[in-house]
PDB file of all heavy atoms in Angstrom:
ATOM      1  N   HIS A 504      78.243 -18.772 -84.396  1.00  0.00           N
ATOM      2  CA  HIS A 504      77.608 -17.430 -84.193  1.00  0.00           C
ATOM      3  C   HIS A 504      78.168 -16.447 -85.070  1.00  0.00           C
ATOM      4  O   HIS A 504      77.379 -15.395 -85.269  1.00  0.00           O
ATOM      5  CB  HIS A 504      77.836 -17.006 -82.728  1.00  0.00           C
ATOM      6  CG  HIS A 504      77.196 -17.801 -81.678  1.00  0.00           C
ATOM      7  ND1 HIS A 504      77.034 -17.355 -80.364  1.00  0.00           N
ATOM      8  CD2 HIS A 504      76.434 -18.944 -81.784  1.00  0.00           C
ATOM      9  CE1 HIS A 504      76.480 -18.298 -79.718  1.00  0.00           C
ATOM     10  NE2 HIS A 504      76.005 -19.246 -80.485  1.00  0.00           N
ATOM     11  N   ARG A 505      79.251 -16.565 -85.835  1.00  0.00           N
ATOM     12  CA  ARG A 505      79.826 -15.671 -86.739  1.00  0.00           C
ATOM     13  C   ARG A 505      78.649 -15.368 -87.789  1.00  0.00           C
ATOM     14  O   ARG A 505      78.661 -14.402 -88.544  1.00  0.00           O
ATOM     15  CB  ARG A 505      81.029 -16.164 -87.269  1.00  0.00           C
ATOM     16  CG  ARG A 505      81.659 -15.202 -88.557  1.00  0.00           C
ATOM     17  CD  ARG A 505      82.000 -13.897 -87.959  1.00  0.00           C
ATOM     18  NE  ARG A 505      82.660 -13.084 -89.127  1.00  0.00           N
ATOM     19  CZ  ARG A 505      81.955 -12.585 -90.093  1.00  0.00           C
ATOM     20  NH1 ARG A 505      80.646 -12.643 -90.080  1.00  0.00           N
ATOM     21  NH2 ARG A 505      82.573 -11.822 -90.971  1.00  0.00           N
ATOM     22  N   ALA A 506      77.873 -16.452 -88.134  1.00  0.00           N
ATOM     23  CA  ALA A 506      76.828 -16.348 -89.188  1.00  0.00           C
ATOM     24  C   ALA A 506      75.665 -15.291 -88.722  1.00  0.00           C
ATOM     25  O   ALA A 506      74.873 -14.942 -89.551  1.00  0.00           O
ATOM     26  CB  ALA A 506      76.185 -17.568 -89.403  1.00  0.00           C
ATOM     27  N   LEU A 507      75.773 -14.993 -87.448  1.00  0.00           N
ATOM     28  CA  LEU A 507      74.674 -13.998 -86.974  1.00  0.00           C
ATOM     29  C   LEU A 507      74.955 -12.574 -87.074  1.00  0.00           C
ATOM     30  O   LEU A 507      74.265 -11.695 -86.862  1.00  0.00           O
ATOM     31  CB  LEU A 507      74.353 -14.261 -85.430  1.00  0.00           C
ATOM     32  CG  LEU A 507      74.000 -15.696 -85.006  1.00  0.00           C
ATOM     33  CD1 LEU A 507      73.928 -15.961 -83.527  1.00  0.00           C
ATOM     34  CD2 LEU A 507      72.714 -16.075 -85.697  1.00  0.00           C
ATOM     35  N   ARG A 508      76.226 -12.261 -87.471  1.00  0.00           N
ATOM     36  CA  ARG A 508      76.716 -10.885 -87.438  1.00  0.00           C
ATOM     37  C   ARG A 508      75.899 -10.055 -88.383  1.00  0.00           C
ATOM     38  O   ARG A 508      75.758 -10.498 -89.573  1.00  0.00           O
ATOM     39  CB  ARG A 508      78.273 -10.804 -87.814  1.00  0.00           C
ATOM     40  CG  ARG A 508      78.779  -9.388 -87.717  1.00  0.00           C
ATOM     41  CD  ARG A 508      80.276  -9.346 -88.127  1.00  0.00           C
ATOM     42  NE  ARG A 508      81.130 -10.138 -87.331  1.00  0.00           N
ATOM     43  CZ  ARG A 508      82.372 -10.162 -87.593  1.00  0.00           C
ATOM     44  NH1 ARG A 508      82.983  -9.624 -88.670  1.00  0.00           N
ATOM     45  NH2 ARG A 508      83.211 -10.907 -86.710  1.00  0.00           N
ATOM     46  N   GLY A 509      75.354  -8.868 -87.895  1.00  0.00           N
ATOM     47  CA  GLY A 509      74.673  -8.080 -88.865  1.00  0.00           C
ATOM     48  C   GLY A 509      73.101  -8.459 -88.807  1.00  0.00           C
ATOM     49  O   GLY A 509      72.354  -7.605 -88.754  1.00  0.00           O
ATOM     50  N   VAL A 510      72.892  -9.767 -88.785  1.00  0.00           N
ATOM     51  CA  VAL A 510      71.465 -10.255 -88.782  1.00  0.00           C
ATOM     52  C   VAL A 510      70.769  -9.965 -87.430  1.00  0.00           C
ATOM     53  O   VAL A 510      69.613  -9.487 -87.379  1.00  0.00           O
ATOM     54  CB  VAL A 510      71.513 -11.783 -89.041  1.00  0.00           C
ATOM     55  CG1 VAL A 510      70.040 -12.377 -89.059  1.00  0.00           C
ATOM     56  CG2 VAL A 510      72.023 -11.933 -90.374  1.00  0.00           C
ATOM     57  N   VAL A 511      71.355 -10.167 -86.291  1.00  0.00           N
ATOM     58  CA  VAL A 511      70.777 -10.114 -85.027  1.00  0.00           C
ATOM     59  C   VAL A 511      70.804  -8.622 -84.529  1.00  0.00           C
ATOM     60  O   VAL A 511      70.404  -8.287 -83.434  1.00  0.00           O
ATOM     61  CB  VAL A 511      71.308 -10.977 -83.953  1.00  0.00           C
ATOM     62  CG1 VAL A 511      71.046 -12.497 -84.210  1.00  0.00           C
ATOM     63  CG2 VAL A 511      72.890 -10.851 -83.898  1.00  0.00           C
ATOM     64  N   GLN A 512      71.497  -7.723 -85.309  1.00  0.00           N
ATOM     65  CA  GLN A 512      71.483  -6.397 -84.925  1.00  0.00           C
ATOM     66  C   GLN A 512      70.310  -5.591 -85.606  1.00  0.00           C
ATOM     67  O   GLN A 512      70.106  -4.381 -85.309  1.00  0.00           O
ATOM     68  CB  GLN A 512      72.838  -5.751 -85.349  1.00  0.00           C
ATOM     69  CG  GLN A 512      73.961  -5.900 -84.480  1.00  0.00           C
ATOM     70  CD  GLN A 512      74.542  -7.338 -84.536  1.00  0.00           C
ATOM     71  OE1 GLN A 512      74.483  -7.985 -85.597  1.00  0.00           O
ATOM     72  NE2 GLN A 512      75.053  -7.864 -83.509  1.00  0.00           N
ATOM     73  N   VAL A 513      69.526  -6.292 -86.372  1.00  0.00           N
ATOM     74  CA  VAL A 513      68.304  -5.611 -86.896  1.00  0.00           C
ATOM     75  C   VAL A 513      67.294  -5.459 -85.859  1.00  0.00           C
ATOM     76  O   VAL A 513      66.797  -6.436 -85.207  1.00  0.00           O
ATOM     77  CB  VAL A 513      67.686  -6.494 -88.059  1.00  0.00           C
ATOM     78  CG1 VAL A 513      66.475  -5.757 -88.559  1.00  0.00           C
ATOM     79  CG2 VAL A 513      68.731  -6.499 -89.163  1.00  0.00           C
ATOM     80  N   GLY A 514      66.654  -4.222 -85.610  1.00  0.00           N
ATOM     81  CA  GLY A 514      65.635  -4.101 -84.643  1.00  0.00           C
ATOM     82  C   GLY A 514      66.103  -4.199 -83.274  1.00  0.00           C
ATOM     83  O   GLY A 514      67.169  -3.836 -82.889  1.00  0.00           O
ATOM     84  N   SER A 515      65.242  -4.459 -82.329  1.00  0.00           N
ATOM     85  CA  SER A 515      65.557  -4.600 -80.832  1.00  0.00           C
ATOM     86  C   SER A 515      65.561  -5.987 -80.427  1.00  0.00           C
ATOM     87  O   SER A 515      66.262  -6.857 -80.933  1.00  0.00           O
ATOM     88  CB  SER A 515      64.523  -3.714 -80.129  1.00  0.00           C
ATOM     89  OG  SER A 515      63.261  -4.149 -80.269  1.00  0.00           O
ATOM     90  N   GLY A 516      64.829  -6.282 -79.401  1.00  0.00           N
ATOM     91  CA  GLY A 516      64.818  -7.630 -78.808  1.00  0.00           C
ATOM     92  C   GLY A 516      65.636  -7.818 -77.667  1.00  0.00           C
ATOM     93  O   GLY A 516      66.191  -6.764 -77.133  1.00  0.00           O
TER      94      GLY A 516
END
Side-chain angles (χ1 to χ4, degrees):
H504 289 191
R505 176 60 178 82
L507 303 174
R508 187 183 296 178
V510 176
V511 290
Q512 281 75 30
V513 176
S515 57

